[in-house]
Amino acid sequence: MRVALASDHGGYLLKEELKRTLTEWGYSVVDVGCDSLESVDYVDYAEKAVEAVRTGDCERAILVCGTGIGMSIAANKFPGIRAALCHDVFSAQATREHNDSNVLCLGARVIGVGLAQAIVKMWLDTEFTGGRHQRRIDKITAIEKRFVQP
Ligand code: RB5
């Protein structure tokens, strides 16, 4: 599976840790930046990573900023993106099973590397349940379509 990774300066160090971890686990990682601790705008990197998902270049994306909140707000503006901010393993499992989330957001100032790795593992390993959950996603997609300009 190809996974896009993005961060701002607040998430840079955790992104670098996760890049090493994902590579070790055998994932193909597309790192869209940022590349240092220098201050940048999280929205620019959220856009690069979600575009990799929207074009089909990557199946999933993981976005890291200080809280994960800015990244999740930005990512969820893009049609077809279901970004989930998770700081516990239960939510990571539930959002895959129920929401078929294709983007995971993490806050590097909220959790440590060990918990982030456990969340990422659960999120990548868990399949969407479908069924009644698909109906709910279809309703979200229908709302999106009302706001997309022709
Ligand atoms: C950057 O200081 C910080 O605002 C950002 O990383 C993130 O937490 C925003 O939601």
Side-chain angles (χ1 to χ4, degrees):
M1 186 194 290
R2 271 165 78 80
V3 180
L5 261 188
S7 76
D8 70 353
H9 53 289
Y12 173 70
L13 294 176
L14 180 56
K15 171 177 69 75
E16 292 300 301
E17 288 284 352
L18 292 176
K19 185 163 54 178
R20 277 190 283 276
T21 304
L22 288 169
T23 306
E24 245 178 62
W25 290 346
Y27 289 94
S28 171
V29 175
V30 178
D31 182 354
V32 300
C34 66
D35 300 315
S36 75
L37 292 170
E38 191 184 322
S39 182
V40 292
D41 299 335
Y42 55 81
V43 61
D44 296 332
Y45 295 90
E47 179 168 10
K48 287 175 202 267
V50 302
E51 283 305 339
V53 173
R54 280 164 45 79
T55 60
D57 182 39
C58 292
E59 204 172 313
R60 310 264 192 93
I62 299 173
L63 315 179
V64 192
C65 64
T67 59
I69 297 170
M71 284 292 198
S72 62
I73 292 171
N76 278 313
K77 296 295 179 193
F78 292 80
I81 295 300
R82 292 177 300 281
L85 173 60
C86 296
H87 288 138
D88 64 90
V89 174
F90 172 79
S91 298
Q93 179 176 358
T95 189
R96 283 291 309 132
E97 288 178 346
H98 293 200
N99 314 124
D100 197 17
S101 53
N102 48 13
V103 173
L104 174 67
C105 301
L106 298 167
R109 296 175 184 157
V110 183
I111 56 169
V113 176
L115 179 53
Q117 287 168 328
I119 289 167
V120 166
K121 180 157 184 30
M122 178 62 83
W123 186 72
L124 288 172
D125 285 351
T126 305
E127 294 296 326
F128 177 48
T129 308
R132 67 187 186 282
H133 300 298
Q134 184 61 56
R135 183 180 70 238
R136 292 157 188 169
I137 290 173
D138 290 345
K139 288 185 177 183
I140 293 171
T141 306
I143 292 171
E144 263 177 8
K145 288 201 173 118
R146 296 214 304 263
F147 291 93
V148 172
Q149 301 302 311

